[in-house]
Amino acid sequence: MIAVKLIPHLLSWFGIVLILLRGFPKRRSVVIATSIAGFVIGVVGAFLLLRVLTGSVGFVIITSVLGMCFLFLWGVSVAAIYSRAGRGVTTGWGVRLVSTPLCAGSVTAISGIVAGAVCSCTLPAMDSTLMNLAMLGSISGALAYVLAYAALAVEKRISHSFTVSPSGMISAVVALQLFSSSSIIRLDLFSPLSMKVMKFAHDFVHQFMESMLIPDHVFVWSYLWRYIGLLFGKEIGFWGGMFIWFTPVLLVMCAVQYERLPSVAHIRQGAERRKLLAAAIRQRRLRLVVPFIALLIFTAAAYQSCYPNVEYWDPKPIVVTATSSGEIIIPMKSDIDLEDGKLHKFLFKQGGKEARFFVLLGPAAKLTVDLDACAICKPDGYGQADGTVICYYCKTLIPLETVGKPGGCNPVPITFTEKKDGVHIDALTLINEWTNTVQSTTKGKEGGK
Amino acid sequence: MSDNIIETSGLTRSYGDICALKPLDLHVPEGEWLSVMGHSGSGKSTLMNLVGGLDRPSAGSLRVGGADLLALSEDGLARFRRESVGIIFQQHHMVPYLTAVENVMMAQYFHSVPDEAEARTALERVGLGHRLKNRPGELSGGEQQRVCIARAIINSPKLLLGDEPTGNLDHKSTVMVMELLKELRAEERFTIIMVTHNQEVAAWGDRTIYLDDGVLVREERMSS
Ligand SMILES: Nc1ncnc2c1ncn2[C@@H]1O[C@H](COP(=O)(O)OP(=O)(O)O)[C@@H](O)[C@H]1O
Ligand SMILES: [Mg+2]
């Protein structure tokens, strides 16, 4: 079972080593050695990290490192396109830097650590005894050894005409890493990214409106609101996320496509000159292959992130009523244990009105009560899996840490008081919040925004 | 080995029962201008096609410019044709709806990448600087053949093959084409093998061989 789960991660790692070997053709031994060392360090390090640090801190660290890799790709792609587009940009030192063993070693080591850490996240619960650690270290070492030499064997069989530019190499390596991590919900980058974009758009529009006092302005025609409304939809998050996600690899492809050809003007004989030019063009075209594959992998990673392959915990709502004082009281422990860290859904019905909400104990041992709906989507509700809740409508994953905070596709939080006999919620507030939220998200058109 | 650009031994080509070329041993030194004569059906074109890599022999060995043509793959043979030989036929085989300069650029394209300036220069060298934008139909036979020469040598081949290139030309055009070839050979130093029916045309070469029914029957060195 665990072996099957590991296969995509190991394949990604194999691909990474393969590309690094091609990317640093003169540093094969450095790449092989550091790839094995890096992978083992990644596996063992992440294993310790996830067990020493409580809650989701370990995952947050690994996700941040992945995010930094992605940012690094952004930097590389911008630099690549700039050095192509800008006149008189000297790239000699960059080329020299890339060909040093130090560069090959550090890029490979970092890739190995990240890949190892991602693999480590799929491991089942184990105690961090010395025994287990030693076993983990030797197994991962053996695996990395086999994969590295397999990659070397394959790389030698791939035609020499396939070369890869440094930027192409980085884009493929980062793509494979994000592909590998996107299958683990808590390490996924794309969904949080689109959510952040959405939040940013919301906050921006909100601030803008507020500071400009636009709603009061007589010259704002109503149709303008339709366009402003777009900024509040979930599409803005998705498309913004797509833009940020795919731009670097597209930039790298452009940079390769517009790579300057070697100067052949000094060769007098026409046929010879044209032959060199044709060879350079052909080589450049082949150099596009790796970034193109990276583009496909980025697509696969985004797809995997949008349609994650997991089962969600989604209990049937328990019907509750209010006391005569207008309070809903849910005991901490009854048939269900509110503090077991799982999502517990309730349906409140009164006077023909109803509202769905859930109670959840967050990772920081903090209880939250929220509507089973968010401020922007159709109220399809949430499910829970692997340190996140997911909005069924827009498939956004929300880390448990941020449940209870308002905004974007987060569940709308409800004020409550925690007393000895349980959680107290004001029924009227709940009904009002639900009605407002659902009205604003299903108003007008079918399916909400 | 030697300075021979072409070395054949026992070179044979048969079509079923018909043996178009009987075992032939032929050596052509680099830079030579060889004329090939013989009756119709004597195997001259067969020989040219073999040497030019357009056809594969049935038996024997064939080395051109150091390359063993029998050992080359289809891709290798295509590359050999692209880079090492230029061919001129009796018919011009030009694309009728392309201009002269575009026809030359076609050859560049199949070899590597087109280069218009270079194609123009090549046409100027064969004396067609004023006919660059004309289509083949608007050119005289001699002019067409000169475009073909420009096209054949644009990729700097080591070997230029002509299969009765002057067969359709009048005396004046023939002399012009021959003079042009002589001039270009002096500059570019390629080897010429030219099939002809015309004794006068053959006399432009250094050596003439006579084929009869696929057999080399006679060889004659020109006194220069
Ligand atoms: N593709 C072919 N199939 C069958 N026989 C052929 C083919 N090409 C040439 N021949 C025969 O080979 C002999 C030599 O032809 P060829 O080399 O074209 O003669 P030449 O060019 O000297 O007039 C002729 O008898 C011809 O009929
Ligand atoms: Mg013939």
Side-chain angles (χ1 to χ4, degrees), chain A residues 269-278 281, chain B residues 83 108 111-115 118 154-156:
Chain A
Q269 204 206 56
E272 198 56 34
R273 184 176 61 228
R274 279 184 281 115
K275 223 167 97 178
L276 283 176
L277 205 60
I281 290 172
Chain B
E83 295 178 0
Q108 292 175 322
H111 170 268
S112 48
V113 286
D115 178 344
E118 192 195 328
I154 191 73
N155 296 322
S156 306

Side-chain angles (χ1 to χ4, degrees), chain B residues 65-106:
Chain B
D68 182 359
L69 291 204
L70 272 86
L72 287 183
S73 62
E74 279 307 317
D75 280 352
L77 204 60
R79 168 131 99 253
F80 165 79
R81 281 197 299 266
R82 264 199 323 263
E83 295 178 0
S84 307
V85 270
I87 308 183
I88 320 167
F89 297 97
Q90 183 167 0
Q91 287 79 30
H92 57 73
H93 292 303
M94 280 195 274
V95 184
Y97 47 85
L98 293 183
T99 62
V101 75
E102 285 164 349
N103 267 289
V104 176
M105 283 166 71
M106 260 310 246

